Amino acid sequence: MNHFYYNNNVLFCEGVPVADIAAAVGTPFYLYSTETLTRHFRAFDGAFTLPHLTCFAVKSCSNIALLHLFGTLGGGADIVSGGELYRALKAGIDPRKIVYSGVGKSEAEMRFALEAKILMLNVESHQELQALQNVAAALGVTAPVSFRVNPDVDPKTHAYISTGLAKNKFGIPIQDALDSYLAARQMKNIEIVGVSCHIGSQLTDVSPFVESLQKVRCFTERLKEAGIHISCLDLGGGVGIRYKNEQPPLPAAYATALEQEMHGLDCTLILEPGRVIVGNAGILVTRVLYTKQGGKKFVIVDAGMNDLARPSLYDAFHAIQPVVRRGQEVEVADVVGPICESGDFLSRGKEVPLCAQGDLLAVMSAGAYGFSMSSNYNSRPRVAEVLVKGDSFHLIRRRETYEDLVAGEMIP
Ligand SMILES: *Cc1c(COP(=O)(O)O)cnc(C)c1O
């Protein structure tokens, strides 16, 4: 359920015609709906009845306006870098609701996190634990730690976004993790608070989540036998969304399946959803520059793979819809950007609305891993981001300028 809909063949976001925003801010731009973001956050967070904390995965969509919104709804943040910590704090997220994931935290990033007094750092290797102990000792503080275990569960998703298989770089193999906890217990500046895992993204079935929770649960029992008690069980993110005809679990089904496995566990459940909250709450709006018939039909638009990388990177599908619908006619065409790579496409070999030069198109389901993965490749300024609320819209990130492109550069 989202708040992008047609009224008299004109695409609206909540109460605002998308074409009006394009006229005001130019194209391309990302457009988010406050109402949809709020609804998705509440549906997810509200599905859980046991003590829990919903830490929005900042990497999926990092604009501080969105982080601020989730903060006001009671959310925390799952961060994977010092930059994301900076954003979360800037957005007013309570540091006691911030968890820090990632295999490669630098010492400077650890220092920043400890000084900010975040809830916990999810440690992924013995060397990282040692580094954290050193940083904490130098600061004279105790580092709250959870280990990210790798449960070796197949999430049945795209290989690039599978993270919980033994062959993936993430976490500590669950069968070796007890040693990490025993080592941590001996460290003066480490406080053990939890156990975490995250098995992948865009999962459309609850069973891999349940399987990994069962494995983690068994593991907490072994910890208990060793005299180690944890207060946080972090299950990561990964719930999928509908891009085309996937059937991802509803929040209620997901929450119920997990809570059944949580019985008798005296832990706060931490969740790190990203895509499921923002994916269908955002679109990318682009304009048709030219159309041409080569070996096939091409629709050349002003947004490229630097603006939305998912089609090129994962061969991901995004529905393309007209901003003003003139008819029902469709044609098979490649919708491509201006970048000098053949991999620069938003849609390839699929039916798209029949369109003409100057038309506006909406690339749907682009809220997650859209703007946050965008780059300046081909020296293209990054696009604007706009947030609609009711009948009004707000620029939440201005389009970059040419000066922005070279702002940090120097000629020696
Ligand atoms: C990417 C990531 C998430 C969010 O994943 P989604 O599929 O967007 O829900 C959560 N936790 C960790 C550790 C991640 O790396």
Side-chain angles (χ1 to χ4, degrees):
M1 165 77 203
N2 62 57
H3 298 79
F4 298 97
Y5 63 95
Y6 287 94
N7 186 356
N8 278 326
N9 292 320
V10 170
L11 183 65
F12 276 71
C13 175
E14 299 187 28
V16 187
V18 172
D20 288 3
I21 306 173
V25 307
T27 54
F29 63 96
Y30 276 92
L31 179 62
Y32 311 100
S33 153
T34 303
E35 196 56 36
T36 311
L37 293 164
T38 305
R39 183 190 170 99
H40 288 180
F41 184 89
R42 289 213 173 111
F44 186 94
D45 188 58
F48 291 88
T49 58
L50 296 175
H52 69 282
L53 177 62
T54 301
C55 294
F56 174 68
V58 173
K59 76 172 189 285
S60 65
C61 192
S62 341
N63 190 291
I64 57 173
L66 271 62
L67 303 183
H68 176 76
L69 173 67
F70 299 137
T72 62
L73 297 172
D78 165 49
I79 58 163
V80 294
S81 70
E84 288 191 353
L85 175 54
Y86 182 80
R87 285 178 175 281
L89 296 174
K90 199 93 185 155
I93 299 215
D94 182 349
R96 288 164 304 176
K97 293 183 178 175
I98 297 179
V99 298
Y100 192 165
S101 305
V103 287
K105 305 172 195 77
S106 72
E107 292 191 2
E109 288 175 316
M110 290 174 179
R111 206 171 300 122
F112 184 19
L114 292 176
E115 282 169 348
K117 298 191 168 49
I118 67 166
L119 177 61
M120 66 184 189
L121 292 94
N122 295 346
V123 170
E124 302 208 22
S125 66
H126 189 79
Q127 288 183 9
E128 184 190 343
L129 177 67
Q130 189 60 57
L132 184 58
Q133 158 61 30
N134 296 345
V135 172
L139 289 174
V141 300
T142 307
V145 160
S146 142
F147 285 96
R148 174 164 172 182
V149 298
N150 184 328
D152 195 18
V153 169
D154 187 354
K156 303 187 184 74
T157 183
H158 192 287
Y160 290 4
I161 48 177
S162 291
T163 56
L165 283 165
K167 66 178 179 191
N168 299 136
K169 71 177 176 181
F170 296 98
I172 297 171
I174 197 160
Q175 65 278 10
D176 304 337
L178 184 60
D179 289 342
S180 303
Y181 280 85
L182 296 175
R185 184 161 65 175
Q186 302 303 323
M187 293 184 173
K188 270 189 67 184
N189 299 78
I190 299 291
E191 182 200 1
I192 296 169
V193 296
V195 57
S196 69
C197 72
H198 169 74
I199 56 172
S201 198
Q202 183 54 14
L203 276 70
T204 50
D205 190 4
V206 290
S207 61
F209 292 115
V210 170
E211 195 187 332
S212 50
L213 178 51
Q214 285 166 342
K215 287 190 171 185
V216 170
R217 189 193 167 120
C218 273
F219 178 67
T220 64
E221 252 123 66
R222 290 180 60 207
L223 286 178
K224 212 183 275 175
E225 283 162 22
I228 296 171
H229 295 268
I230 56 159
S231 55
C232 295
L233 197 158
D234 180 348
L235 252 201
V239 178
I241 64 166
R242 190 171 180 134
Y243 286 98
K244 194 176 190 179
N245 40 29
E246 301 88 342
Q247 298 283 350
L250 289 172
Y254 171 71
T256 307
L258 297 188
E259 291 196 338
Q260 270 166 6
E261 303 296 329
M262 288 292 289
H263 263 287
L265 266 186
D266 189 20
C267 281
T268 300
L269 180 61
I270 295 180
L271 302 146
E272 303 172 347
R275 191 189 309 268
V276 69
I277 309 285
V278 292
N280 278 318
I283 64 174
L284 171 64
V285 181
T286 182
R287 193 179 286 281
V288 177
L289 295 173
Y290 310 107
T291 64
K292 71 174 178 183
Q293 184 73 48
K296 47 185 170 174
K297 175 76 185 277
F298 292 102
V299 175
I300 300 150
V301 298
D302 64 2
M305 64 186 283
N306 70 300
D307 303 308
L308 179 65
R310 299 190 69 258
S312 318
L313 194 57
Y314 312 123
D315 204 22
F317 172 83
H318 286 271
I320 301 214
Q321 296 184 3
V323 167
V324 177
R325 202 155 54 187
R326 278 192 308 255
Q328 300 295 333
E329 257 188 291
V330 293
E331 63 179 341
V332 174
D334 285 10
V335 179
V336 301
I339 300 257
C340 301
E341 301 238 358
S342 295
D344 176 28
F345 61 92
L346 300 177
S347 174
R348 192 155 66 172
K350 307 240 165 45
E351 279 189 349
V352 294
L354 187 63
C355 49
Q357 187 173 24
D359 283 356
L360 290 169
L361 295 176
V363 184
M364 306 308 288
S365 312
Y369 307 100
F371 187 90
S372 63
M373 288 183 96
S374 69
S375 78
N376 290 123
Y377 187 41
N378 275 211
S379 287
R380 287 164 50 81
R382 276 179 299 167
V383 306
E385 289 179 287
V386 176
L387 179 63
V388 165
K389 186 171 187 188
D391 292 332
S392 56
F393 67 89
H394 307 271
L395 189 65
I396 56 171
R397 183 184 170 107
R398 63 166 175 80
R399 188 178 306 284
E400 285 180 349
T401 63
Y402 291 149
E403 295 83 74
D404 291 331
L405 284 180
V406 296
E409 298 179 18
M410 283 152 282
I411 299 172

